Amino acid sequence: MIQQLQSDFERTIEGSGSAQINTMELSGGAKINRLFHERFPFEIVKMEFDEKELRREIAFAIRNIHGIRVGLFTPDMAFEAIVKKQIARLKEPSLKCVDLVVAELSNVVRVCTDRMSRYPRLREETERIIATHIRQREQLCKEQIILLIDCELAYMNTNHEDFIGFANAQQSSENSVKAGRKLGNQVIRKGYMCIHNLGIMKGGSRDYWFVLTSENISWFKDEEEREKKYMLPLDGLKLRDVEQGFMSRRHTFALFNPEGRNVYKDYKQLELSCENQDDVDSWKASFLRAGVYPEKSTEQANGEEGGSESSSSMDPQLERQVETIRNLVDSYMKIVTKTTRDLVPKTIMMLIINNAKDFINGELLAHLYASGDQAQMMEESPEEALKREEMLRMYHACKEALHIIGDVSMATVSTPVPPPVKNDWLASGLDNPRLSPPSPGGPRRGMPIQPVTAPGSRAPPPPPATGRPAPAIPNRPGPDMSQRMPPSLPGRPQSAGLPPPLIPSRPVPTIPPRLPDRPNIPARPQF
């Protein structure tokens, strides 16, 4: 299990092919990569681009350094004071980046230990050991990042090859902006966003497919990009956050022109929204790459000092000094920011992520063996034990059923079915005399009828002897003649004084039966 955890953790971070690839959102190494190269740079740029506030601070710093004297030269101390304040502000986004990476690492560990859910104590102990180690490395990493920032604060390297110096400070402001925009019209990002401030008659907010390049942003009806709705140049545009509505769950930001010109048709700003904050931050980072920077609303902050700032702007010498310091600060902060953006991810990778991989591969198993009783950690969860008992019960039931089926099939002896009874004489008995049963009441041809009275029968006494015998009535054929009595038909009396003739009963078994050719018709008695 620990070996499987090692493999899953490394695959999730490094991105090598895994069977459990998340197709719904970024996770693992991909999300950490986005934190390094999109979220962290965006936090830095959002922090440093507040032009009005920065110029106001430079003006106060220059005047406070000169004091009562009128300064003829731009003071170096103002540059150093402003730069140190800007560098110190890099600590917050850098430490925030560490927190986000650690949170994602914790999610990765939780996903990778899902295979241990059968043994909850082992899983809990494994997560505790890894989380404790990551927290220790997190603290060490934060101390190292703070040390990096302190190193930047310790010494202002104005002899850096990328630093413009005082001679070129005044001419660099416009050139730096133009140089940053000559990237070619390359595609930076594509994706869906919702436009909110459309006319109500046109349906209000609606989702469009956006294509962001280094020079403009276009939106289409769908991702096939066949029907282009509009193309907006990015020159001079800024970003600002828009407050969410009371019932709105979407996160909104806006593109606007700081000079007050319309951005889109008759609208002063173009309001865009995404479903979650991560998408908004990712889009903002993409706009940064295109040269569209966020601008904080500093009207309230500048309200109290508006008079002093306007009065200071009347002094052309102070205004030139502010511009010079501003260019110097901008040049030096680009150097520091570039270094920070490069070193912070490297520090996090070395002290946290790579160290966590080495810890899981080399030391986790030893910590598990040393942490407690292995038998307790290998106790199954109640759900797993119940599932296993059900499986065993089903297994034994199936095994017993197969055993019973085997015994039945081996012990059963099949016997041939007896031939069917030949009963066709029932239908054709009258047509074929050989198949019909004998008529017990019929005498042989040429023999006189010998009526036999069965003992104990209720037949009437025999009539007096006459010249003609009593009539013999043939019996109905039946399947079993030995158990059926022939029906008795009363003789038709010719006079009131004579008894009815006796009907012969069942014949004596010794006399072989014979089917008469024709029935004997009794003669009329003669007086």
Side-chain angles (χ1 to χ4, degrees), residues 204-246:
S205 60
R206 183 176 176 183
D207 289 335
Y208 288 100
W209 178 260
F210 282 82
V211 177
L212 175 64
T213 68
S214 56
E215 295 183 0
N216 55 62
I217 182 169
S218 307
W219 55 91
F220 300 82
K221 183 178 179 181
D222 51 29
E223 56 190 74
E224 295 180 0
E225 300 181 13
R226 293 179 181 175
E227 184 179 349
K228 181 183 288 189
K229 295 295 184 181
Y230 199 80
M231 184 176 71
L232 180 65
L234 298 177
D235 286 328
L237 297 185
K238 297 285 185 181
L239 274 175
R240 70 156 60 114
D241 292 326
V242 178
E243 294 184 1
Q244 287 181 264
F246 178 69

Side-chain angles (χ1 to χ4, degrees), residues 40 44 87 90 94 145 147-149 151-153 155 157 160-162 331-347:
F40 180 51
I44 291 179
I87 292 175
L90 290 173
S94 300
I145 288 177
L147 182 61
L148 288 175
I149 304 299
C151 290
E152 295 287 352
L153 291 170
Y155 177 62
N157 184 16
H160 195 281
E161 58 183 2
D162 294 333
S331 175
Y332 194 79
M333 284 306 298
K334 281 183 179 179
I335 299 172
V336 177
T337 302
K338 184 178 180 180
T339 305
T340 305
R341 288 172 57 177
D342 182 54
L343 286 181
V344 167
K346 290 179 178 178
T347 306

Side-chain angles (χ1 to χ4, degrees), residues 18 22 41 71 76 79 97 176 182 252 267 279 331 406 471 481 491:
S18 174
N22 192 340
D76 295 346
F79 162 75
C97 184
S176 61
K182 301 301 180 181
T252 309
Y267 301 105
D279 290 343
S331 175
M481 303 304 297

Side-chain angles (χ1 to χ4, degrees), residues 105 108-109 142 180 183 218 229 313 315 353 367 429 455 462 472 494 512:
L105 272 184
V108 170
V109 172
K142 287 185 175 181
L183 301 175
S218 307
K229 295 295 184 181
S313 62
D315 185 0
I353 299 176
H367 280 75
Q494 299 295 328

